[in-house]
Amino acid sequence: MSFHHPGFLWLLLLGLAILILHLVRKGGRLQWVPFLPLWERALLEEGARPGWRRVQNLLSLLFQLTLLSLIVLSLAHPFIIELVEERRHFSLILENSARMRAAEKNAKTRWNLARKKAFELLEKKGGSEEATLLITSPRPSVVIPSSRDVWKLKRGVESVDPSYGGGDLRGTLSLARQMKPLGEESRVVVVAGSKERDFKGERGEGIHFLNVGEREDNIGFTRFFLTRSGFGAGYEVLMSLKNFGREARRVSLVLSTGEKREITLPPLKEAEVVTEGKEGGFLLFSCRILEEDGLALDNEVWGVLAPIQRVSVALVTQGTLLPCFTSLLNTFSEVFKGKPAIHSPESFSQSVEHYDLVLFDGWAPPELPRGRAFFFFQAPPPWEKDFPAQRTGMEESIVTDWLRSSPFLKSLELSDLFVQGVLQGEIPFGSTPLVFSTSGPLLFHGSERGRFYLFFPFRLTQTNLPLLPAFPLLFRNALEEFFRIWVPKEPVRSWPQSGNSWEKWDKKVPERFQGCFSTSEEHPSLAPGLYQRTLEAGGKEILCHNFLNASESDILPGQERKGEGDVFSRRKVLKPRSLRSLFLLAGICLILLEGGLYGWTRRMR
Amino acid sequence: MKPKEGIAEEFLEPSFLQKLEYLDIVAKKIFLGEMEAGKSGGKRGPGTQFHDYRNYSYGDDLRYLDWNIYGRLDELFIKEFEVEERIHLNLILDTSASMSFGSPPKIEVGKKLAAALGFIGLSNFDRVNLLAIPSRDEMVSFQGKKQVFPFFERLSSLRCAQEAHFFPSIRDAVTHLRSKGLVAILSDFYDPSGYQKVLRFLIYRRFQVFCLHLWDPLEVDPPFRGMAKLRDLETGRTRLLRITPSARLRYIESFQRFCRHLKGLCREEGIGYISIPTGVPFDFTLISLLRRGGLLR
């Protein structure tokens, strides 16, 4: 037995003091008595157990010396060096990305092999060894925190299914390191689903890679973008395919449009396929690789484009801008144009309320009619009776400033612009001026009782050159903003096809989305902020992020298959074992024992 | 009486002495005395205390004829008187070493008590014998008030020294006494060989015996705790004992049993028993105790 603080052992000398005190006390104080036989007669009965009395005294001395020894030894922090089986911890990382759904020869899927391997590993685990079960997909997460219970860990393995997306080995390894108990040797065992891939970045000491699955001839989609082409006239598709194998492959692609393409993929190379179509409205697009490989999951992609939303537009014009408007509106496939209206003012307000957008050119009703949105071009505004507008005449109003951040004025350059014959007046309450000139606001928009309006207080023909060619752009901006605000669109969606039947995809959407879109979540088993992992989402126009992206899903490490026996080899090491608590416990027991004895002897007396 | 200074004050206050002069000693039995004294012995004979009349008989002393009755009744009657006897007060003071115990020491209380009794006796013209046991000194007799101070001197010269063995000393002393009388034993009665033999011997010799049992409160409630080396004051014998609370209780019980036994023996044998703790104030408390015991009236 050794001591961390041997200096405290000097306190054992206090035992000598106790011994001396005991001897002095044993001698007793000299007391004179007048007649000793009286005492002797009394103590003849009391002292009938002198032997027990001596034993009691001796026990008391022994108790005091032992208690002192225990206290001093506890202070000295004793410890012994013993040969013990090293306490170890290992983290079992199961790759459960989509590739684990691949069919294998001797098992239904590659995941079955991985699960079987995990069971074998857990059964080999030492009884005192703790294991943490982690998975890689859709994000690194802990399934079972540190546990010695093999059955619990096995149930944890059984509760996991392969995902429909990629995985994050780097993040999972990082998480495993964070979960490692302090002061314990920890190993990480990764059960991955492929072989002969280099994962140089994550190879390190204490990390063992066990591979399951044989097939490695995988060719799969790695990116898939589906979006509408300009002005919604058609659609565009961008697909990336990658050959994960070591040999060049020639594959055939069958598109839902009936088109068939053949491409050649070099080993470990990626190829892009771009296609387009002119089909409008609802579109279901899919593409399938006609190739049998190890992983059927990434052999098909598909996406959905929502049907085109039609917008009805009425044009109330005196004829000056009709060609311009007609040509502009024709660029919007979703716009249903109404005829130029010639209505009496009384009946007009009732007839235009069925249109989504009404354009007034040079004339406007006395009141803002029912409806959703109104554009006014050089028309006296309906609120003129409240705020009479005056025309400025032919003097030039020069633009002084404009809101460059406004979506209405996107891509417009209005400097050096002047207009003539501007209607001047106070802009109504709640309106936002967009362009300022020397004679007042030139353009403003606002809303009143849920109705959107945009007001152009000048004629396009009475401006200088810069605005005239830019007017279609301004008008398009206004229409797009109107569409953005007033016309909700069905988002375009696309998912990877996993080989399941069509009827099931509705139920699978949330889970499949996990692998495709960005996540920023905390694992419930960890403290807040301990772990945070963000997967990259695409840009705005990318409605579905690529799945099985090589950079994310290729978690497969180098395949130097290490001896599995090394993973669970048990070592015996010399470790100091503190005896302080043992001594303290013995001291407490001794005090309790002495207290019990004292109480018992008192009762006996 | 005015005491000599320096002697009487050792035992008693002068005012207390004056009060003691009015006290008297009661002798419950009739003793035969050598000289007339202040006590009525119950025996008819020459004296001053009238007792009774009786018919004249031949040979009676004519001096005791009551001539007044003869003149009225024409019969001769002789007046009888009680003989006033001198009683012998034998004070036996224990001067064994155990009497030095207590605060104040029991011997001091015993001396004061003996002084008080002796003073009372001498004031009433009794003979007072003082015997210190277990010393081998002979019993010293005192008679008359003039002997008060020699009596006190004798008392003050007594010292505690030896081991108590009552019987040989008392037997030797009492054997030489020619007259019976009152015996007052002032002692703690700690005799290894027992006090019963002595008391029964005195009763046998027809003494009226009074036991004045002196004890100190420390004997009743000893303040000892834990390990103690108890040493006997008389024998010097030592015992190492562990004084536990229960042992202390047993000792107290033993002491009380000792007192009860002494008291019971006195009651059986017709011996007066007075228990005198040393802590009690001496003067009137002592008198009340003596009255209660029947030693004073």
Side-chain angles (χ1 to χ4, degrees):
Chain A
M1 187 166 65
S2 304
F3 301 94
H4 285 302
H5 312 297
F8 279 106
L9 292 179
W10 286 104
L11 291 176
L12 281 175
L13 290 176
L14 288 173
L16 284 176
I18 291 177
L19 205 59
I20 291 167
L21 281 174
H22 185 80
L23 290 174
V24 168
R25 189 165 158 262
K26 192 179 174 185
R29 289 176 58 195
L30 181 62
Q31 302 282 0
W32 290 93
V33 291
F35 196 52
L36 188 59
L38 270 184
W39 282 98
E40 288 173 335
R41 221 172 292 157
L43 297 173
L44 206 63
E45 303 163 15
E46 171 66 19
R49 300 181 296 258
W52 164 242
R53 186 72 65 192
R54 275 196 292 275
V55 169
Q56 202 177 4
N57 289 339
L58 194 62
L59 279 177
S60 176
L61 175 65
L62 278 176
F63 159 72
Q64 290 168 21
L65 290 175
T66 312
L67 190 62
L68 174 74
S69 308
L70 290 174
I71 292 171
V72 170
L73 289 175
S74 301
L75 287 172
H77 201 164
F79 65 92
I80 54 172
I81 305 290
E82 60 179 2
L83 193 63
V84 295
E85 189 176 310
E86 188 180 24
R87 189 179 173 188
R88 302 170 82 184
H89 174 272
F90 87 95
S91 302
L92 177 59
I93 297 177
L94 295 179
E95 182 202 350
N96 66 326
S97 56
R99 82 176 78 247
M100 299 305 285
R101 294 177 182 271
E104 289 291 337
K105 290 176 185 174
N106 300 325
K108 195 174 178 183
T109 62
R110 189 173 296 176
W111 175 247
N112 287 350
L113 294 176
R115 190 148 58 185
K116 189 177 173 185
K117 177 64 70 181
F119 285 171
E120 288 174 6
L121 289 172
L122 292 173
E123 281 163 4
K124 286 179 186 174
K125 180 180 80 67
S128 62
E129 194 163 24
E130 290 188 342
T132 299
L133 179 63
L134 303 101
I135 55 173
T136 61
S137 179
R139 59 184 181 278
S141 51
V142 179
V143 180
I144 301 290
S146 293
S147 172
R148 293 192 184 93
D149 189 350
V150 175
W151 288 107
K152 185 179 176 184
L153 291 161
K154 280 186 171 183
R155 282 197 297 274
V157 172
E158 283 178 346
S159 68
V160 177
D161 283 322
S163 72
Y164 289 92
D168 180 9
L169 178 63
R170 187 175 289 110
T172 314
L173 285 170
S174 172
L175 180 61
R177 285 190 206 101
Q178 292 172 24
M179 295 290 291
K180 169 183 169 295
L182 286 174
E184 286 188 22
E185 188 194 347
S186 179
R187 295 147 304 143
V188 179
V189 181
V190 182
V191 179
S194 183
K195 41 197 304 197
E196 296 181 8
R197 290 291 180 88
D198 291 331
F199 201 86
K200 295 172 185 172
E202 298 304 332
R203 294 179 68 183
E205 193 175 349
I207 302 176
H208 302 260
F209 292 101
L210 304 178
N211 304 300
V212 292
E214 297 294 330
R215 302 189 64 170
E216 50 182 322
D217 51 348
N218 181 27
I219 298 170
F221 288 104
T222 54
R223 287 194 296 167
F224 174 65
F225 304 145
L226 171 63
T227 184
R228 288 200 182 278
S229 55
F231 300 107
Y235 61 89
E236 294 173 356
V237 178
L238 170 63
M239 295 174 289
S240 294
L241 289 93
K242 188 170 182 181
N243 179 8
F244 295 95
R246 295 282 181 173
E247 295 175 358
R249 301 284 297 275
R250 184 170 181 80
V251 295
S252 300
L253 298 178
V254 178
L255 281 64
S256 57
T257 56
E259 186 185 354
K260 190 171 182 181
R261 291 192 185 187
E262 288 196 351
I263 56 173
T264 302
L265 287 169
L268 297 174
K269 292 292 181 184
E270 198 171 39
E272 288 185 349
V273 176
V274 178
T275 184
E276 60 182 7
K278 294 184 178 177
E279 188 178 347
F282 177 79
L283 172 67
L284 173 66
F285 179 85
S286 65
C287 181
R288 181 173 173 78
I289 303 172
L290 289 178
E291 187 72 25
E292 288 295 329
D293 60 5
L295 182 59
L297 175 68
D298 52 0
N299 282 356
E300 187 170 341
V301 291
W302 55 270
V304 176
L305 283 176
I308 293 172
Q309 195 85 3
R310 285 194 174 273
V311 179
S312 58
V313 178
L315 179 61
V316 182
T317 177
Q318 293 173 343
T320 53
L321 289 177
L322 183 60
C324 176
F325 281 131
T326 307
S327 60
L328 272 173
L329 290 172
N330 282 338
T331 61
F332 291 92
S333 59
E334 60 268 50
V335 170
F336 176 75
K337 297 180 287 295
K339 289 181 180 178
I342 301 173
H343 297 287
S344 64
E346 291 77 19
S347 62
F348 183 77
S349 61
Q350 294 177 358
S351 59
V352 300
E353 66 178 294
H354 304 293
Y355 292 92
D356 294 315
L357 174 65
V358 182
L359 307 176
F360 294 101
D361 178 28
W363 176 88
E367 291 182 351
L368 200 62
R370 295 179 190 176
R372 300 173 72 179
F374 306 94
F375 290 179
F376 297 96
F377 294 95
Q378 188 55 30
W383 52 88
E384 191 181 17
K385 60 182 180 182
D386 298 326
F387 297 100
Q390 293 178 357
R391 202 172 293 277
T392 57
M394 294 310 290
E395 66 267 25
E396 295 173 351
S397 298
I398 301 171
V399 172
T400 55
D401 195 10
W402 69 95
L403 290 178
R404 290 171 173 80
S405 61
S406 171
F408 294 98
L409 305 178
K410 189 169 64 177
S411 307
L412 283 176
E413 172 60 43
L414 302 179
S415 58
D416 298 332
L417 174 71
F418 67 87
V419 292
Q420 293 174 334
V422 176
L423 283 173
Q424 283 185 322
E426 292 291 330
I427 63 169
F429 180 76
S431 299
T432 305
L434 300 173
V435 180
F436 302 92
S437 71
T438 53
S439 56
L442 279 186
L443 182 63
F444 57 88
H445 72 93
S447 62
E448 183 189 298
R449 297 177 189 173
R451 291 168 291 186
F452 175 79
Y453 60 85
L454 183 69
F455 190 75
F456 296 82
F458 55 89
R459 289 179 187 278
L460 291 178
T461 53
Q462 292 177 342
T463 64
N464 60 349
L465 277 177
L467 185 57
L468 198 54
F471 174 73
L473 193 54
L474 174 63
F475 187 48
R476 181 181 176 81
N477 286 343
L479 284 174
E480 282 187 344
E481 186 63 12
F482 165 74
F483 289 151
R484 188 186 67 79
I485 295 172
W486 293 100
V487 185
K489 286 184 178 178
E490 177 83 9
V492 180
R493 294 178 298 188
S494 61
W495 297 275
Q497 165 66 6
S498 66
N500 295 314
S501 64
W502 262 110
E503 288 74 24
K504 292 181 180 176
W505 68 262
D506 273 338
K507 297 174 185 173
K508 294 281 185 180
V509 167
E511 187 180 355
R512 292 175 184 186
F513 262 80
Q514 289 175 1
C516 298
F517 289 93
S518 64
T519 57
S520 177
E521 298 174 16
E522 291 179 356
H523 194 277
S525 68
L526 299 174
L530 184 63
Y531 168 67
Q532 202 163 27
R533 169 73 178 158
T534 304
L535 294 173
E536 289 293 332
K540 267 185 170 180
E541 66 276 13
I542 299 174
L543 298 172
C544 177
H545 193 264
N546 53 313
F547 69 101
L548 289 183
N549 189 319
S551 65
E552 293 291 341
S553 62
D554 282 356
I555 64 168
L556 304 173
Q559 298 303 310
E560 290 180 24
R561 186 179 289 268
K562 293 190 176 180
E564 293 177 14
D566 291 339
V567 175
F568 291 104
S569 63
R570 294 168 196 172
R571 288 188 297 172
K572 288 203 168 184
V573 292
L574 288 171
K575 275 192 173 178
R577 185 174 179 181
S578 175
L579 299 176
R580 172 182 269 183
S581 51
L582 185 69
F583 278 71
L584 283 175
L585 186 67
I588 291 168
C589 289
L590 203 61
I591 289 171
L592 292 175
L593 181 67
E594 174 67 10
L597 274 176
Y598 180 73
W600 181 66
T601 49
R602 274 187 72 89
R603 276 200 303 278
M604 293 295 287
R605 282 204 289 266
Chain B
M1 191 183 100
K2 191 173 180 180
K4 281 185 182 176
E5 294 200 3
I7 298 176
E9 285 180 0
E10 186 181 349
F11 301 104
L12 307 167
E13 294 293 325
S15 58
F16 182 67
L17 286 174
Q18 287 172 3
K19 289 176 186 175
L20 289 180
E21 286 178 355
Y22 298 103
L23 298 175
D24 201 357
I25 298 173
V26 178
K28 290 187 177 174
K29 294 186 179 179
I30 300 169
F31 295 98
L32 289 175
E34 290 178 348
M35 293 177 64
E36 289 181 358
K39 297 291 170 293
S40 169
K43 187 176 180 180
R44 286 170 287 279
T48 56
Q49 186 91 22
F50 174 77
H51 179 70
D52 204 355
Y53 291 98
R54 69 172 171 82
N55 291 328
Y56 173 77
S57 61
Y58 180 77
D60 287 337
D61 193 346
L62 295 178
R63 287 180 295 177
Y64 296 106
L65 275 173
D66 192 335
W67 295 105
N68 294 330
I69 293 175
Y70 178 74
R72 279 185 290 173
L73 302 176
D74 200 18
E75 285 186 22
L76 289 172
F77 286 94
I78 293 291
K79 287 194 280 190
E80 286 185 337
F81 296 90
E82 281 186 357
V83 176
E84 288 191 344
E85 257 187 298
R86 174 193 296 163
I87 63 169
H88 288 194
L89 174 61
N90 302 299
L91 295 173
I92 300 176
L93 179 61
D94 182 4
T95 57
S96 65
S98 65
M99 289 292 283
S100 64
F101 185 82
S103 176
K106 288 184 279 186
I107 185 67
E108 295 302 322
V109 178
K111 279 180 182 180
K112 285 184 179 179
L113 195 58
L117 293 173
F119 177 79
I120 293 167
L122 292 174
S123 300
N124 288 274
F125 311 103
D126 290 334
R127 178 186 286 272
V128 175
N129 297 323
L130 178 61
L131 175 65
I133 55 171
S135 71
R136 291 289 176 180
D137 297 342
E138 288 187 356
M139 185 178 279
V140 185
S141 295
F142 303 91
Q143 186 174 4
K145 275 196 171 180
K146 290 183 180 176
Q147 293 286 310
V148 167
F149 296 110
F151 173 70
F152 285 171
E153 283 177 9
R154 171 66 184 160
L155 271 180
S156 61
S157 68
L158 295 177
R159 296 285 180 270
C160 295
Q162 303 174 25
E163 191 177 357
H165 289 292
F166 292 172
F167 186 66
S169 309
I170 292 177
R171 182 191 57 199
D172 294 346
V174 169
T175 306
H176 295 101
L177 289 178
R178 283 179 294 178
S179 55
K180 313 287 180 295
L182 196 69
V183 174
I185 305 173
L186 296 98
S187 172
D188 54 11
F189 293 93
Y190 289 149
D191 185 356
S193 53
Y195 48 79
Q196 298 91 332
K197 197 173 177 182
V198 174
L199 296 180
R200 288 193 173 122
F201 173 75
L202 291 172
I203 296 298
Y204 171 74
R205 292 298 301 268
R206 301 179 64 192
F207 284 104
Q208 187 179 4
V209 184
F210 283 92
C211 290
L212 280 72
H213 184 197
L214 297 164
W215 53 271
D216 191 84
L218 289 176
E219 289 174 74
V220 183
D221 188 12
F224 311 145
R225 299 284 188 280
M227 291 301 296
K229 200 185 286 180
L230 303 184
R231 181 167 291 173
D232 195 299
L233 278 166
E234 295 184 3
T235 61
R237 203 153 51 84
T238 305
R239 277 289 300 266
L240 183 64
L241 295 170
R242 184 187 180 91
I243 313 296
T244 60
S246 66
R248 215 175 120 262
L249 286 176
R250 286 183 190 279
Y251 163 77
I252 293 170
E253 200 177 304
S254 172
F255 178 78
Q256 287 171 346
R257 199 183 308 145
F258 171 80
C259 295
R260 280 198 302 273
H261 184 265
L262 176 60
K263 195 173 179 178
L265 180 68
C266 292
R267 191 171 57 245
E268 284 174 13
E269 302 294 343
I271 299 171
Y273 173 83
I274 304 168
S275 176
I276 302 172
T278 55
V280 175
F282 180 73
D283 45 11
F284 289 104
T285 310
L286 177 60
I287 290 169
S288 69
L289 282 172
L290 291 176
R291 279 187 190 284
R292 204 170 59 201
L295 195 58
L296 297 179
R297 67 180 177 189

